Amino acid sequence: MIKNIRFYKKICTWLTVAVMVAGFPMSVHATETDDNDTEYEAVEVEEDDSEEPEETVEEDKDEAVTDSSDTSESDKDDETDKSDESADSDDESAVQDDDEELTYVNPLEEDHPSGILMLDADPDEASSAEGSADGSGSLKLTTIKKPKNVVSMVVPILGNINYNFVLDPEGLVALNPRNELIGGESSVYFRSYESDSTYTVFPDIAIAVNRSTVPVILEVELNVRGASDLGITLTDLRNVHSSETPALCFGILPTEVGTVNGDDAAHEMPILKSEMAVTDANGHAYKEIFLPGSVDNFEILTLPTNEQDVYVQEYRPLEDARWSTAGFTLYGACTRNADWSETFERMLDGGNLSITITYKMTPVFEDNEDE
């Protein structure tokens, strides 16, 4: 049915266009000429001012034009009336079908799945829409903490230093032109690893570096053994040169405390002779060196661990940080004006004179509790 209506509409549209192009509707009448030829005369047809639908009038005019050659004017009127009636009925059915085709479905009158909210007609009795949801919370903490008092030390390496020494009360080492003396002339020299003919007044400096947030105390001890078996008296530096019998002393010399980025620069720290710790009568010497901490040299980092929601807090040193450093060396002296012949014979018979150097680095905590 719908297809028929659409086809009918197309025919009406084409007819309307044809009449409009012609300008005015015309009727054709046949007249005779002398030559018995048929001549066609176009006669203008008056427009109908009736209130009939425009589309129906135009259709009637079309019908009149096509049938004018075969019918009379009365026949035209009858046919026009008939066509009007049929056109009216067809138009009414077309309008009805058109209305039926264009009618929109009201989603409120049926179960419509498009998500339209259904409301009651009476607002006072309209139902409300409700919903709820639950959520849970968690807490992330630094449950594992590294102590704020970070301790990191570079300890002295004594194995690279030659502490072997030679007693030279008569100055024989300096008389030999093949020997190389480092630090000047002395009565006690330390041997060098460079060669057997190289002697130094001070052995190499043992370096300690404090890379901690807290201060560190470097304790150095020196002990002399075998002196009494060789007839040598252990004394201090002031009395060693005035003694009439063989006497010997050793001292621990600290370096000035400074700051370095690495370890090498600490070897250039000046030696503080005025703060030397000399052996006592038992051959024991003790020196304490204080190295301050560097809290500002660290940055705090919170890093995740393998456990879920567990973090560890670390203090990482800065790359350009400078750390406090200090070191120590030794010094020795013996009596020049004494007779050392008996001591020399005892040493040839197997007597042994030796020294032992030990150290300990201890951090100083302001509090022992982790923060």
Side-chain angles (χ1 to χ4, degrees):
M1 180 65 180
I2 294 174
K3 292 182 179 179
N4 293 334
I5 293 172
R6 290 178 179 172
F7 179 74
Y8 175 78
K9 284 184 177 183
K10 289 182 179 180
I11 293 175
C12 293
T13 302
W14 294 340
L15 292 176
T16 301
V17 172
V19 173
M20 292 177 67
V21 171
F24 296 98
M26 294 199 155
S27 62
V28 181
H29 296 275
T31 58
E32 293 183 358
T33 61
D34 294 336
D35 298 331
N36 292 326
D37 294 332
T38 302
E39 180 180 355
Y40 294 91
E41 179 183 359
V43 179
E44 182 176 352
V45 179
E46 294 182 358
E47 294 182 4
D48 190 359
D49 296 330
S50 63
E51 296 179 0
E52 293 180 1
E54 182 179 353
E55 184 179 356
T56 306
V57 173
E58 290 175 354
E59 291 174 358
D60 293 341
K61 291 177 180 179
D62 276 344
E63 291 290 338
V65 171
T66 49
D67 297 333
S68 59
S69 59
D70 299 326
T71 60
S72 62
E73 293 182 359
S74 60
D75 293 337
K76 292 177 189 176
D77 294 336
D78 294 337
E79 290 175 1
T80 303
D81 294 336
K82 292 179 182 180
S83 61
D84 288 343
E85 292 176 1
S86 61
D88 290 340
S89 60
D90 290 339
D91 286 344
E92 288 177 1
S93 61
V95 170
Q96 290 177 358
D97 293 341
D98 237 7
D99 293 339
E100 184 179 353
E101 180 183 3
L102 299 176
T103 299
Y104 291 96
V105 177
N106 187 354
L108 302 180
E109 295 178 355
E110 59 182 76
D111 187 12
H112 201 278
S114 62
I116 296 177
L117 178 63
M118 309 299 292
L119 297 178
D120 294 337
D122 190 354
D124 296 334
E125 298 179 359
S127 60
S128 61
E130 297 180 357
S132 63
D134 295 329
S136 61
S138 62
L139 177 64
K140 292 181 180 292
L141 288 178
T142 306
T143 57
I144 301 177
K145 288 188 176 181
K146 190 174 181 180
K148 181 179 179 180
N149 296 326
V150 179
V151 177
S152 177
M153 301 174 292
V154 179
V155 298
I157 301 176
L158 304 182
N160 295 335
I161 302 174
N162 192 349
Y163 289 108
N164 295 328
F165 58 93
V166 176
L167 303 181
D168 186 21
E170 298 179 351
L172 299 178
V173 173
L175 292 176
N176 189 342
R178 294 181 301 176
N179 294 335
E180 179 183 359
L181 305 181
I182 300 176
E185 293 186 14
S186 180
S187 56
V188 176
Y189 294 99
F190 292 90
R191 305 297 295 265
S192 174
Y193 280 128
E194 296 179 3
S195 67
D196 292 339
S197 60
T198 302
Y199 299 86
T200 65
V201 176
F202 307 102
D204 293 338
I205 298 174
I207 301 300
V209 181
N210 181 19
R211 295 183 176 179
S212 310
T213 61
V214 296
V216 169
I217 296 177
L218 173 62
E219 301 174 90
V220 185
E221 290 188 70
L222 173 66
N223 287 286
V224 181
R225 294 182 175 88
S228 59
D229 296 336
L230 297 175
I232 302 174
T233 302
L234 296 175
T235 184
D236 56 25
L237 188 61
R238 182 177 55 186
N239 296 322
V240 69
H241 296 293
S242 60
S243 177
E244 295 180 358
T245 60
L248 177 66
C249 75
F250 281 97
I252 304 171
L253 282 80
T255 66
E256 185 180 55
V257 178
T259 58
V260 292
N261 185 263
D263 300 337
D264 296 336
H267 293 278
E268 301 177 1
M269 295 289 179
I271 298 173
L272 303 178
K273 296 180 181 180
S274 59
E275 297 183 12
M276 181 173 57
V278 183
T279 52
D280 56 15
N282 297 320
H284 177 261
Y286 173 83
K287 184 63 181 179
E288 187 177 283
I289 305 172
F290 182 83
L291 285 77
S294 304
V295 179
D296 296 336
N297 287 344
F298 291 86
E299 59 180 350
I300 301 176
L301 299 178
T302 301
L303 305 175
T305 63
N306 294 331
E307 301 180 19
Q308 186 177 2
D309 297 338
V310 177
Y311 294 81
V312 59
Q313 194 174 73
E314 292 186 355
Y315 291 77
R316 178 176 295 179
L318 301 175
E319 294 181 359
D320 57 347
R322 295 186 66 84
W323 310 98
S324 61
T325 182
F328 62 89
T329 185
L330 302 182
Y331 175 77
C334 65
T335 306
R336 290 182 180 272
N337 299 323
D339 184 5
W340 288 85
S341 58
E342 185 177 352
T343 301
F344 180 71
E345 290 177 1
R346 292 182 181 183
M347 293 185 72
L348 291 177
D349 291 339
N352 185 34
L353 181 65
S354 64
I355 59 175
T356 302
I357 305 100
T358 59
Y359 71 87
K360 180 172 64 173
M361 295 184 70
T362 305
V364 180
F365 297 106
E366 296 180 359
D367 55 71
N368 294 323
E369 295 182 0
D370 293 350
E371 296 186 0

